[in-house]
Amino acid sequence: MTDWLRSELTALRPADAVASAAVRERAAQVLRPPGALARLDELAEWVAAWQGTSYPRVDRPHCLVFGGDHGIAAAGVSAYPADVTVAMQAAIQQGKATITALGAALAVPVTLVDVGIARPTGDIRQVDALDHDRCGAIAERAAAAVDDLDTDLLVIGELGIGNTTVAAAVCACLYDEPADRWVGRGTGVDDDGLQRKLAAVEQTRQRVVPSQPLDVLRRAGGSELLAMAAATLAARRRGIPVVVDGFVATAALAPLQVAVPGALDHCLVGHASAEPGHRRLLERLGKRPLLDLDMRLGEASGAMLAVPLVRAACAGVTDVATFGEWFG
Amino acid sequence: MTDWLRSELTALRPADAVASAAVRERAAQVLRPPGALARLDELAEWVAAWQGTSYPRVDRPHCLVFGGDHGIAAAGVSAYPADVTVAMQAAIQQGKATITALGAALAVPVTLVDVGIARPTGDIRQVDALDHDRCGAIAERAAAAVDDLDTDLLVIGELGIGNTTVAAAVCACLYDEPADRWVGRGTGVDDDGLQRKLAAVEQTRQRVVPSQPLDVLRRAGGSELLAMAAATLAARRRGIPVVVDGFVATAALAPLQVAVPGALDHCLVGHASAEPGHRRLLERLGKRPLLDLDMRLGEASGAMLAVPLVRAACAGVTDVATFGEWFG
């Protein structure tokens, strides 16, 4: 069931306006021209608002990569066969994948959470991706994965062959717009595959629309998408700001914001993906990505790179003397 | 004398094309779709080319902040009095400044190199900033500061009240263009100050043009600008890639590239500053900044934030298994 998500959305933790105001005030008093750090100061305020402290810190970031497989992958929408998801799961677990290399370089632990690898969802062209029971189990597993962590900044991303198709389907259904607005080449599908992808998304839209936002996620989405939505709400409840990866991760969260404006206020989008739908979706959500490096990998790689900037942003307010302290 | 700079420019270390090709080849074989990391892979190739190894690493980054004072500061071109340079020097030395807070958060040591604090250069409206002897001493000191380091990535930036005026003057003279193309508000000068700044730069241009590029640096520049140019060439000689900060740092290096195209190929510009001349200058130099966060502080702050991305980029090639290693 998407009941858990729905229930969380009715009781969203508010931002701590006192904490963010204290950080804003200190940022204006430290040893530099007011506003000189611009976006970096805003990041520190954002962390303060969601950690609920005027002393925001990023000392224990943690990255969760949610993995799942998709019935639609059998329709030839990806440049890779579905069993690559399993292979990449093993590579992450053994520290040989891109995200684990980046995580090691940046001192951010990475945990893979299997919410459906080798257990594909329904083919979204014809049937719902997930039934209510499976949705409930996935949400529970994802929320538990967050609850198990001792972290002050959560990085989320995904792994799943076929999931840019699913992400495009979620967007097309959520906004009821033609497939070509949302479909890109993902991992690099060829022209024929792109046509199959467009057709699959369009067919899904015809089947799913109209649906409530959370039902779009259940019917046109997938296991790891639902898990990311649940993890994001679990983090909100626990006062943990979230750094979100690219197109698939953002698409997974978009239904939350469409359902309840402000539901993603505790989320920073780490980077703008080269997957063209991402920029369009970010505009819809009013989110400004932190980095823009033409990346299009997934695995939380773009979000991971944002972590040191958020950590530095906090230090840039808390660890710099004020003019008063220095000259007073 | 600018003789040392001139001599270095005639014997620039070439890129190691074998090393960068090896990294490019490995990046195409690791466990991700080809090209999925885009700009990040390019960074790894760039580090390999200049470190001269197919196993590029950023294990010992170091930040040098060069500080100097400027005769032109007396003309009321800054929002701050000149003695703020001394105060900020002390704040950096005691770890209470923005750059030291960022450096501590990112595990990058910061060293302040005083090349002229409280010993202002000549007022560039009327006289040359530096005579040949002082230039020689500064270049020697800056090169020695680099030679003293055991580093695999050099981060450079500056400190000096009045130095965005000087940077604008260098650009205006180098490209023989009106002051308003290059002058911005720096640390936040008011309207009257902005007019004084424009007039100072224009007067300097009338006096200095025509001059050879390195003479522009000596005549219209300043101590910390010359030091950054020298440090950059010293790093080139030693196979150390350089991450460059914002407008002032880039202006300091521009004469090198105008004198000898390719002289800055071992330099990455860490961020695009909000100081409007920076973007214009980057276009002239054909440099694409890594970050764009509206920052305008100096102190190497924008370059500092790029360090973890360069470190991660290297790991993203060297520490990820290839398809052959994984499936072979």
Side-chain angles (χ1 to χ4, degrees):
Chain A
M1 314 246 253
T2 50
D3 284 0
W4 185 83
L5 298 182
R6 229 174 288 272
S7 152
E8 289 295 307
L9 281 172
T10 62
L12 288 170
R13 180 189 178 112
D16 186 332
V18 174
S20 59
V23 166
R24 185 161 55 249
E25 195 176 337
R26 185 175 175 92
Q29 293 171 351
V30 295
L31 292 173
R32 59 180 174 252
L37 285 201
R39 188 91 199 270
L40 220 60
D41 283 345
E42 292 170 22
L43 286 178
E45 284 177 42
W46 169 76
V47 175
W50 297 105
Q51 288 184 347
T53 169
S54 58
Y55 196 76
R57 304 297 295 175
V58 178
D59 291 328
R60 304 177 308 280
H62 201 106
C63 175
L64 293 180
V65 179
F66 294 94
D69 273 309
H70 301 271
I72 194 68
V77 293
S78 174
Y80 293 87
D83 57 8
V84 165
T85 310
V86 173
M88 288 310 306
Q89 173 184 29
I92 289 176
Q93 287 167 339
Q94 294 177 40
K96 292 293 183 186
T98 300
I99 189 61
T100 46
L102 302 184
L106 301 175
V108 182
V110 176
T111 303
L112 184 112
V113 184
D114 174 5
V115 289
I117 295 173
R119 286 166 292 147
T121 51
D123 180 336
I124 55 173
R125 293 174 299 180
Q126 277 119 23
V127 297
D128 291 342
L130 299 162
D131 62 23
H132 287 282
D133 282 354
R134 193 165 172 198
C135 263
I138 290 169
E140 198 175 319
R141 173 120 175 68
V146 173
D147 289 341
D148 283 348
L149 299 177
D150 173 25
T151 184
D152 48 21
L153 186 72
L154 180 63
V155 178
I156 63 163
E158 44 57 43
L159 175 68
I161 293 299
N163 69 11
T164 59
T165 301
V166 162
V170 166
C171 294
C173 294
L174 195 61
Y175 298 109
D176 194 15
E177 289 180 350
D180 62 7
R181 297 267 183 102
W182 298 103
V183 168
R185 287 186 188 267
T187 52
V189 78
D190 62 16
D191 287 348
D192 285 352
L194 187 64
Q195 291 309 313
R196 290 191 292 270
K197 201 168 168 177
L198 284 162
V201 169
E202 195 54 38
Q203 198 175 337
T204 304
R205 178 166 76 110
Q206 301 302 331
R207 184 181 68 78
V208 170
V209 173
S211 291
Q212 294 299 313
L214 295 186
D215 269 328
V216 166
L217 191 56
R218 182 182 68 77
R219 301 185 69 195
S223 307
E224 74 278 33
L225 279 77
L226 194 112
M228 287 188 282
T232 296
L233 291 177
R236 173 78 162 244
R237 170 177 284 276
R238 294 187 54 210
I240 304 168
V242 177
V243 186
V244 180
D245 198 33
F247 180 52
V248 179
T250 309
L253 305 191
L256 304 180
Q257 167 119 333
V258 173
V260 179
L264 302 184
D265 285 356
H266 68 303
C267 298
L268 168 74
V269 177
H271 81 132
S273 168
E275 182 71 7
H278 196 213
R279 240 171 254 276
R280 181 186 296 271
L281 183 56
L282 293 176
E283 279 168 26
R284 290 291 165 84
L285 298 173
K287 290 286 188 189
R288 183 182 167 199
L290 196 62
L291 299 169
D292 190 352
L293 302 170
D294 297 332
M295 290 167 52
R296 52 177 179 80
L297 175 63
E299 295 182 16
S301 55
M304 176 63 84
L305 295 175
V307 173
L309 277 68
V310 180
R311 179 189 295 138
C314 294
V317 175
T318 60
D319 298 357
V320 179
T322 63
F323 278 93
E325 289 162 5
W326 194 250
F327 292 103
Chain B
M1 312 248 252
T2 51
D3 285 359
W4 185 84
L5 298 180
R6 229 175 289 272
S7 153
E8 289 295 306
L9 281 171
T10 62
L12 288 170
R13 180 189 178 113
D16 185 333
V18 174
S20 60
V23 166
R24 187 161 52 249
E25 196 176 336
R26 185 175 176 92
Q29 294 172 350
V30 295
L31 291 172
R32 58 179 174 253
L37 284 201
R39 188 90 199 270
L40 221 60
D41 282 345
E42 292 170 22
L43 285 179
E45 285 177 43
W46 168 76
V47 175
W50 297 104
Q51 287 184 347
T53 169
S54 58
Y55 196 77
R57 304 298 295 175
V58 178
D59 292 327
R60 304 178 308 281
H62 200 107
C63 174
L64 293 181
V65 179
F66 294 94
D69 273 308
H70 301 271
I72 194 68
V77 293
S78 174
Y80 293 87
D83 57 6
V84 165
T85 310
V86 173
M88 288 310 305
Q89 173 185 30
I92 290 177
Q93 287 167 338
Q94 294 177 40
K96 292 292 182 185
T98 300
I99 189 60
T100 47
L102 302 184
L106 301 175
V108 182
V110 176
T111 304
L112 184 112
V113 184
D114 174 5
V115 290
I117 294 173
R119 285 167 293 146
T121 52
D123 180 337
I124 55 173
R125 293 173 300 180
Q126 277 120 22
V127 296
D128 291 343
L130 299 161
D131 62 24
H132 287 282
D133 282 353
R134 192 164 173 198
C135 263
I138 290 169
E140 197 175 319
R141 173 121 176 67
V146 174
D147 290 341
D148 283 348
L149 299 176
D150 172 26
T151 184
D152 48 22
L153 186 72
L154 180 63
V155 178
I156 63 163
E158 45 57 43
L159 175 69
I161 294 299
N163 69 11
T164 59
T165 301
V166 162
V170 166
C171 293
C173 294
L174 195 60
Y175 298 108
D176 194 14
E177 288 179 352
D180 61 8
R181 297 266 183 103
W182 297 103
V183 168
R185 287 185 188 269
T187 51
V189 78
D190 62 17
D191 287 348
D192 285 350
L194 187 64
Q195 290 309 315
R196 289 191 292 270
K197 201 167 168 177
L198 284 162
V201 169
E202 196 53 38
Q203 198 175 338
T204 304
R205 178 167 75 109
Q206 301 301 333
R207 185 181 66 79
V208 170
V209 174
S211 291
Q212 295 298 313
L214 295 186
D215 268 330
V216 166
L217 192 56
R218 181 183 68 78
R219 302 184 68 195
S223 307
E224 74 278 34
L225 279 77
L226 194 112
M228 288 189 282
T232 297
L233 292 177
R236 173 79 163 242
R237 168 177 286 276
R238 295 187 53 209
I240 305 168
V242 177
V243 185
V244 180
D245 199 34
F247 180 51
V248 179
T250 309
L253 306 191
L256 304 179
Q257 166 118 334
V258 172
V260 179
L264 302 183
D265 285 357
H266 67 304
C267 297
L268 168 75
V269 177
H271 81 133
S273 167
E275 182 72 7
H278 196 214
R279 240 172 253 276
R280 180 185 297 270
L281 183 56
L282 293 175
E283 279 168 26
R284 290 290 165 84
L285 299 173
K287 291 286 188 190
R288 183 181 166 200
L290 195 61
L291 300 169
D292 189 352
L293 302 170
D294 297 332
M295 289 167 53
R296 52 176 179 80
L297 175 62
E299 294 182 18
S301 55
M304 175 63 82
L305 295 175
V307 173
L309 277 69
V310 181
R311 179 190 293 139
C314 294
V317 176
T318 60
D319 298 357
V320 180
T322 64
F323 279 94
E325 289 163 5
W326 194 249
F327 292 103

